[in-house]
Amino acid sequence: MGLPLRALLGACRPWTLRLGPRPRCSPRMAGNAELPSPAGSARPQDRRSRSGRAGGVRVWEDGEHPAKKLKSGGDEERRGKLPKRKVVLLVAYSGKGYHGMQGVSAAGQVVSLKVWLIDGILEKINSHLPSHIRILGLKRVTGGFNSKNKCDARTYCYLLPTFAFAHKDRDVQDETYRLSAETLQQVNRLLARYKGTHNFHNFTSQKGPQEPSARRYILDMYCEEPFVREGLEFAVIRVKGQSFMMHQIRKMVGLVVAIVKGYAPESVLERSWGAEKVDVPKAPGLGLVLERVHFEKYNQRFGNDGLHEPLDWAQEEGKVAAFKEEHIYPTIIGTEQNERSMAQWLSTLPVHNFSATALAAAGTGGKLPGPLEGSEGDGDTD
């Protein structure tokens, strides 16, 4: 008998997969989720008795009834005798067909919760899931582990067609374009400038340059060698950082694209980290994928203590790669070919005002001009 999906994953806020309508009840707290108790168990606060008995029979307050004993058998009975253990699940999902989990695709999301470690638990969970949502691994962790709070860094990748780097004099969507070694070197030189600690207040919304939380540390950012799918050339940009704000990664990619294409001077990159307001373009959210969640400090302390495994998921790398090739990349590539989100966004760059400042914004009611307004929730967040 399989475990209900909502019981296992619906309690893992903020990383929540909802395959149906939103539940009316609010989800449990992140990182310390517990599954519902087995049938037949009752919480002490659910029933209260008066201090006395009538005719040898306990009297219950109005509207309250003693819990009925239900017969349980099979998995329920065995599960009720097992203690719940804190574990983490390695989750992969394509960015369509569900609600929650921060709204982007993921090849290596991690959620923490307590479960009964019954036989074949991964197979039973996956039996309730569609093929584009999979649980790829499970590991025991310490009792107080919280997958959100214990995270040291996150790695995202951004898949985009390489015609995004073509010079502005070429057609906005030239599918015959192939990324040259020289242009790839320029892209990587610009991406490398993001490394280190910078003030990214211009790469998100509603943060000022004086706010400490606007300063973020980027460990690495680079573009890999391109590859061809369905006659169209693509490349993957990878970025690893301690944490990211809303839209930060999309704007980091968008500004580099604008510079490489010749719409913005390279000096705007340095200026965007300063105190003045710079209108940074935001690349489409389609290609953004959460690739890995890092727990390096946890691994140093508990990974080799003889009781717990390091959270590196080395044995699951094959499953992760296969899931990306089967579900994530085809979804992104197919959607790009059908909806042309990158080409549409590129067509807005010629009218983008890269010299816009806070002073210019004041003349438009405090809002920076620009056609790049988009929905929130791409997922590159704290």
Side-chain angles (χ1 to χ4, degrees):
M1 179 177 178
L3 293 177
L5 174 62
R6 287 187 185 279
L8 279 172
L9 297 180
C12 300
R13 189 68 176 174
W15 299 301
T16 304
L17 295 180
R18 299 190 185 96
L19 302 185
R22 290 181 178 269
R24 294 185 178 179
C25 58
S26 58
R28 296 189 174 111
M29 294 180 63
N32 294 301
E34 292 193 10
L35 299 184
S37 300
S41 65
R43 298 178 180 177
Q45 64 269 28
D46 289 342
R47 49 181 184 175
R48 295 169 294 154
S49 64
R50 296 175 182 169
S51 58
R53 295 174 180 266
V57 178
R58 186 180 297 275
V59 179
W60 302 91
E61 291 186 2
D62 292 341
E64 296 179 342
H65 304 281
K68 295 181 179 179
K69 293 183 178 180
L70 301 178
K71 293 182 179 180
S72 59
D75 283 347
E76 287 83 356
E77 185 175 357
R78 289 191 299 272
R79 190 174 65 201
K81 296 179 181 179
L82 293 174
K84 287 187 288 187
R85 302 298 186 186
K86 195 65 170 289
V87 302
V88 291
L89 302 178
L90 180 66
V91 188
Y93 45 87
S94 179
K96 285 193 171 184
Y98 70 95
H99 300 285
M101 281 287 186
Q102 297 187 328
V104 298
S105 299
Q109 178 64 283
V110 175
V111 299
S112 55
L113 71 165
K114 288 185 176 181
V115 298
W116 287 279
L117 292 175
I118 61 175
D119 294 337
I121 184 171
L122 291 188
E123 291 76 11
K124 291 179 179 180
I125 297 174
N126 283 323
S127 69
H128 292 273
L129 297 173
S131 60
H132 63 279
I133 303 175
R134 293 283 96 178
I135 309 299
L136 302 180
L138 179 151
K139 290 190 178 185
R140 287 279 304 277
V141 290
T142 57
F145 183 86
N146 182 301
S147 57
K148 182 177 186 293
N149 297 339
K150 295 295 184 181
C151 171
D152 302 310
R154 294 174 176 87
T155 295
Y156 283 84
C157 68
Y158 189 88
L159 178 66
L160 76 169
T162 58
F163 64 70
F165 296 120
H167 192 269
K168 62 182 181 180
D169 293 337
R170 298 190 63 149
D171 180 64
V172 68
Q173 185 174 356
D174 182 359
E175 296 188 358
T176 65
Y177 177 82
R178 296 295 182 263
L179 187 65
S180 67
E182 181 182 2
T183 302
L184 179 59
Q185 184 178 12
Q186 180 191 10
V187 170
N188 278 321
R189 179 177 60 81
L190 292 171
L191 293 175
R193 295 190 61 183
Y194 283 121
K195 292 195 290 186
T197 301
H198 300 285
N199 191 327
F200 285 99
H201 73 98
N202 279 311
F203 293 77
T204 189
S205 60
Q206 300 179 344
K207 276 197 185 294
Q210 305 305 322
E211 295 186 50
S213 61
R215 297 183 64 81
R216 301 293 166 124
Y217 179 52
I218 305 300
L219 289 89
D220 201 8
M221 192 169 187
Y222 60 94
C223 182
E224 296 183 340
E225 292 288 335
F227 57 91
V228 177
R229 294 288 172 84
E230 306 293 333
L232 189 61
E233 189 179 67
F234 288 85
V236 173
I237 294 175
R238 282 192 166 80
V239 55
K240 179 181 180 181
Q242 283 186 339
S243 61
F244 298 95
M245 298 177 289
M246 184 69 72
H247 301 316
Q248 180 183 338
I249 296 174
R250 290 170 58 184
K251 290 199 169 206
M252 292 168 73
V253 172
L255 188 55
V256 167
V257 167
I259 294 172
V260 173
K261 292 187 75 67
Y263 288 116
E266 188 171 335
S267 60
V268 74
L269 190 59
E270 192 77 26
R271 187 161 59 90
S272 68
W273 299 324
E276 69 178 275
K277 184 67 178 176
V278 177
D279 191 13
V280 178
K282 180 176 62 181
L286 174 64
L288 189 61
V289 180
L290 174 61
E291 188 156 86
R292 183 178 293 274
V293 184
H294 302 270
F295 301 96
E296 292 163 3
K297 291 181 180 178
Y298 173 87
N299 288 342
Q300 290 175 2
R301 182 174 180 182
F302 297 106
N304 297 310
D305 65 356
L307 299 175
H308 304 93
E309 300 176 82
L311 302 181
D312 56 15
W313 307 108
Q315 296 181 355
E316 288 76 19
E317 287 293 344
K319 295 180 183 179
V320 171
F323 187 89
K324 286 193 294 185
E325 291 295 331
E326 185 176 354
H327 295 285
I328 295 179
Y329 286 174
T331 297
I332 295 174
I333 292 171
T335 304
E336 175 62 40
Q337 290 178 324
N338 294 329
E339 300 179 4
R340 303 181 183 275
S341 60
M342 179 59 71
Q344 292 180 26
W345 175 74
L346 291 173
S347 67
T348 68
L349 290 180
V351 295
H352 194 87
N353 187 359
F354 291 98
S355 62
T357 64
L359 182 62
T364 59
K367 183 178 177 64
L368 285 171
L372 304 178
E373 296 296 324
S375 60
E376 297 287 323
D378 15 311
D380 42 329
T381 59
D382 294 336

